[in-house]
Amino acid sequence: MSFYGDTPEGMVESAIEFAEICRDQDYHNFVFSMKASNPVVMVQAYRRLAARMYDLDWNYPLHLGVTEAGEGEDGRMKSAIGIGTLLQDGLGDTIRVSLTEDPELELAPCRELARLGTVAAAPESVSLANFT
C-alpha cells in the first residue's frame, strides 16, 4: 500500500494482499469490503478489484458502501452515486448505506438502492419503455 498511497490502486493492492493471506491458509469464506467516503474513489477501486479478481479467476462477494456518506440529501446522493453505479455495472453482492444520522434512517435508501439494483440486473429492464 505504501507504494500506491491512499488511492484506488492502493486499496485494491491491500485487499488482494489480505485475500492472498487467507487463501494461503486455505480460507475462502470472506467478502471484499473496501472503505471510501468519496464515491468516485469507491467506484474506481471496486471496478479495479473486479478486474483483478477476473484476471486471477477469483469469485468472492463484494460488499458495497460509501463510508460515512454524510447526512440528509448529500449522504443519500453520495450513496446512490457510488452504490448505484456499481450495481448498474453488475457488481456487488451486499450493500450498506452508511449515513451520519440515526442508523434506522439508513434502511429506506438502502432498500431503494437494492430494489433499483435488482431491476437493473433483470434483462428485461433494458427497455425504452422504462425511460419514457
Side-chain angles (χ1 to χ4, degrees):
M1 175 102 166
S2 61
F3 179 77
Y4 295 96
D6 189 14
T7 63
E9 295 85 359
M11 293 171 65
V12 171
E13 290 307 313
S14 179
I16 295 294
E17 180 181 338
F18 282 99
E20 286 175 340
I21 292 169
C22 293
R23 291 172 56 86
D24 287 346
Q25 299 300 312
D26 199 29
Y27 185 80
H28 300 277
N29 188 20
F30 61 88
V31 175
F32 281 104
S33 179
M34 298 186 297
K35 302 296 182 187
S37 58
N38 180 325
V40 174
V41 171
M42 178 247 196
V43 168
Q44 291 173 348
Y46 274 102
R47 284 177 172 168
R48 287 178 183 273
L49 178 61
R52 282 290 298 281
M53 288 191 347
Y54 179 82
D55 290 344
L56 294 166
D57 196 29
W58 289 3
N59 185 21
Y60 294 104
L62 302 176
H63 172 75
L64 308 180
V66 178
T67 300
E68 294 184 356
E71 62 184 351
E73 188 174 318
D74 288 346
R76 286 158 180 77
M77 289 298 293
K78 285 172 69 174
S79 292
I81 290 166
I83 297 169
T85 298
L86 293 169
L87 291 174
Q88 285 292 120
D89 286 352
L91 300 176
D93 298 281
T94 63
I95 62 174
R96 160 98 194 273
V97 172
S98 178
L99 304 173
T100 52
E101 302 177 29
D102 292 334
E104 60 270 11
L105 298 176
E106 298 173 348
L107 190 55
C110 192
R111 279 188 177 145
E112 183 62 11
L113 281 170
R115 185 189 70 76
L116 292 171
T118 302
V119 169
E124 65 276 1
S125 69
V126 182
S127 163
L128 291 177
N130 293 334
F131 298 101
T132 57

